[in-house]
Amino acid sequence: MKTVQIEIDAEGFEYLWSNSMKWQGIDWHKQADRFTPEPENFNWQFVYWFDKYTDLVMAEGFLKAIRAPFTRHSDDVEGWIILTDFASPCHVGK
């Protein structure tokens, strides 16, 4: 089996997700049942949505490479989400 290495930086991470916003301080706990598994931590800083599974996997690879903790959940409304404290460049300075 061959291994493929893909290089993605923070800017490239931005092209993987379809939507993002602050997670902490928003009333997400009221919608927790739409996610599988249901999130246990509502203190993550950001949520990122992914339409394509391949984009989700590449984003997870990036976060693992930079040692940024995260959790993955499917979303009954829109694909998958990643919860993390990593701030994509568009969130830096906000």
Side-chain angles (χ1 to χ4, degrees), residues 8 44 59-70 84-86:
I8 298 173
W44 292 108
E60 288 178 328
F62 169 74
L63 293 171
K64 286 176 187 174
I66 64 168
R67 295 188 171 107
F70 66 91
T84 184
D85 291 331
F86 172 74

Side-chain angles (χ1 to χ4, degrees), residues 58-79:
M58 290 196 312
E60 288 178 328
F62 169 74
L63 293 171
K64 286 176 187 174
I66 64 168
R67 295 188 171 107
F70 66 91
T71 61
R72 173 211 289 196
H73 308 268
S74 62
D75 180 357
D76 291 344
V77 176
E78 188 180 344

Side-chain angles (χ1 to χ4, degrees), residues 26-39:
I26 310 297
D27 292 337
W28 283 108
H29 62 279
K30 294 178 182 178
Q31 298 182 54
D33 62 343
R34 81 183 237 191
F35 304 107
T36 305
E38 285 189 22

Side-chain angles (χ1 to χ4, degrees), residues 9-80:
D9 59 10
E11 222 172 269
F13 177 81
E14 281 208 349
Y15 291 102
L16 297 173
W17 48 264
S18 58
N19 192 11
S20 71
M21 64 182 296
K22 290 286 264 177
W23 177 262
Q24 187 180 46
I26 310 297
D27 292 337
W28 283 108
H29 62 279
K30 294 178 182 178
Q31 298 182 54
D33 62 343
R34 81 183 237 191
F35 304 107
T36 305
E38 285 189 22
E40 295 179 8
N41 180 355
F42 293 92
N43 292 321
W44 292 108
Q45 291 296 312
F46 300 100
V47 56
Y48 297 96
W49 276 269
F50 298 86
D51 296 330
K52 296 178 184 171
Y53 185 75
T54 52
D55 292 343
L56 172 73
V57 171
M58 290 196 312
E60 288 178 328
F62 169 74
L63 293 171
K64 286 176 187 174
I66 64 168
R67 295 188 171 107
F70 66 91
T71 61
R72 173 211 289 196
H73 308 268
S74 62
D75 180 357
D76 291 344
V77 176
E78 188 180 344
W80 298 271

